[in-house]
Amino acid sequence: MQLDAKIPSGPLSEKWDKHRFELKLVNPANKRKYSIIVVGTGLAGGSAAASLAELGYYVKNFCVQDSPRRAHSIAAQGGINAAKNYQNDGDSIWRLFYDTIKGGDFRAREANVYRLAQVSNHIIDHCVAQGIPFAREYGGLLANRSFGGAQVSRTFYARGQTGQQLLLGAYSSLMRQVAAGRITLFPRREMLDLVVINGQARGIVVRNLVTGEIESHAADAVVICTGGYANVFYLSTNAMASNVSATFRAYKKGAFFANPCYTQIHPTCIPVHGTYQSKLTLMSESLRNDGRVWVPKTPGDKRPPNQIPESERDYYLENKYPSFGNLVPRDVASRNAKAQCDMGKGVGETGFAVYLDFKDAIKRDGKDVIAQKYGNLFQMYEKITASNPYEEPMMIYPASHYVMGGLWVDYNLMSTLPGLFVLGEANFSDHGANRLGASALMQGLADGYFVIPYTIGGYLVGMDHSDVTTDHPAFKDAVQYVNERVKRLLAINGKRTVDDFHRELGHILWEYCGMSRNDEGLLKARTMIQALREEFWQNAMIPGSDKDFNQSLERAGRVADFLEFAELLVIDAFERKESCGGHFNEGYQTEENEAKRDDENFCHVAAWEYKGDDTEPERHIEPLVFENVQLTQRSYK
Ligand SMILES: Cc1cc2nc3c(=O)[nH]c(=O)nc-3n(C[C@H](O)[C@H](O)[C@H](O)COP(=O)(O)OP(=O)(O)OC[C@H]3O[C@@H](n4cnc5c(N)ncnc54)[C@H](O)[C@@H]3O)c2cc1C
């Protein structure tokens, strides 16, 4: 199949305007005749549902939590990028575009990224109008800080709670439409299948997580905004409920899955400290504005940090990358932390940690200034580790955090299945092989507030409008599939907990498909995942019934999907014979141990087509064409 990204013709800076003009419009009176399902209420789903309802469409909005406000987006700490250039430090739409393309190691579509940079400025205006309490300078102007992979300050923030404040803004808009009767909310519902009729996405099947009832919902289009799959690694910074199920089930119904091997390991997380730990905590990248990363120069130096003199410290990022210093992109910072620990210079009990030190910043700016910027993050760190970061350096280590892979979408954010749109972290669209900090919130809100409201109309006017209800046989088949799968899970009656399987899966991926990968390890991982999956279906212990609230059953379904998806992730990593961004195959590195791309053979998106449970998935490619930037070896020196 030829993947058509539907990139508009014309100069880069005019593509989006031109496209918006050329897209067919649905007239206001007709909009109310269309119903749209939006799955997810995070920043992508919440903003999309609110905007579509504001336009006049009827929206059904689903989430697994009890309130849309509990979507994982609420966890976002550090900030959201925009090319406002309020700092007068040289920023521009072009620079944000270029930084993002380069940050993603030249594996993203130019047209999408340029549009993202363009609409980034509208997002800030929109959110300010909603009343988001962004940090301000003394004189009242919005404040900015810096994030990795950029030499300008373009990140807007609300202390360490940016995601929460942005989500409250989207939620307010959403609830306005709920009150107006144009959105119906379906909390505590888990999408377990997509319904495709005459080649078009026309509905979903969900499980009511409180009553256990299986429900069908029909619509004219389906918009999936279910977030990322970083929890496939078991330990991650994501919310416990983050999963791959909705996107993976859509994949099984014909939507292609793009670049699953592009996963992001964030350099500044609180290190793992126990076998039975179930969650990792992020220390926002914003901390690298003022914190300095270092390790002792001598391997095995176990002295407390404050007893190690300056001359015996290695500020390895500042030394190796003088231009970007501690603000190199995440993939680069993570790999370097790992390299230091592999050399025996790691600190803490396990030796898998490096220091993030605020001593100099406190000396320079004073404790109050640092507390104003990062107070809640310092408090969170102290609560978890019982160590006071104002007095001794934080200990940090990379952890699974975000995914750049996701369902393949074209320029309109439509998947390979007509009528199925995918937004936010659930799609693969804008970040290439590595995402720059503060760009996920930007992308989720760009997709929801500023892209889908235009592009979905273009689809709706041209679609096949046959009337579809949940009595259609395709709904009955999907309900039967979901019921049978639930029954199969409950019938296993084994001895090993679902969490235990998930933990082992996470270990396999972290070991063989984590910060660095190699062909031998990837092959081994694939065999291990297959064996683990087989054991899961024979020995998983899932107590309770399907007729009421049963969190073991919920988790079992998600882990079962992770066990299948993990194999696709590993296959994708194996087939990409190069290193780029977060995908670092040891066989492909420069003399300085940086990722070495193969632009001749791999300058493309890999999109996988499901071919059946016992058949190899088929790899399709979308070549990436760069007309405006020159492909170079990424350098942050
Ligand atoms: C700790 C942390 C800090 C971060 N900080 C930043 C930051 O400072 N800046 C930045 O740009 N990015 C940050 N990120 C990344 C960013 O938060 C996420 O990428 C982004 O919020 C994802 O938004 P989303 O709307 O795509 O998905 P989510 O917010 O994950 O929302 C997913 C929604 O889908 C629903 N859902 C999921 N599965 C199903 C299903 N099967 N059926 C029904 N509903 C389902 C959920 O209930 C939820 O409503 C951070 C991430 C983490 C983990």
Side-chain angles (χ1 to χ4, degrees), residues 63 67 211 214 295 355 369 391 445 468 492 495 497 506 559 621:
C63 67
S67 158
T211 64
I214 305 297
V295 289
Y355 290 126
V369 172
E391 279 160 21
L445 291 181
V468 163
I492 301 174
K495 296 204 163 22
T497 63
V559 171
I621 63 165

Side-chain angles (χ1 to χ4, degrees), residues 41 43-44 64-65 72-73 76-79 191 243 401 425 438 440-441:
T41 58
L43 285 175
V64 295
Q65 291 86 0
H72 158 71
S73 290
Q77 301 170 345
M191 173 184 157
N243 65 85
H401 173 69
E425 196 174 340
L441 302 185

Side-chain angles (χ1 to χ4, degrees), residues 8 110 122 155 164 192 228 241 260 296 325 375 380 384 397 406 440 445 508 530 532 548 559 573:
E110 278 190 343
H122 305 319
T155 305
Q164 181 177 355
L192 293 179
M380 188 161 80
I384 294 173
Y397 195 68
L445 291 181
I508 297 171
Q530 286 167 341
L532 190 66
D548 58 15
V559 171

Side-chain angles (χ1 to χ4, degrees), residues 310-344:
E310 277 298 313
S311 58
E312 292 177 47
R313 298 174 177 198
D314 182 1
Y315 293 90
Y316 57 90
L317 289 177
E318 294 173 23
N319 296 336
K320 194 168 166 191
Y321 307 99
S323 302
F324 283 71
N326 294 296
L327 281 171
V328 289
R330 294 175 180 177
D331 55 334
V332 178
S334 293
R335 271 199 292 283
N336 276 279
K338 178 177 185 299
Q340 295 298 326
C341 295
D342 290 349
M343 283 188 275

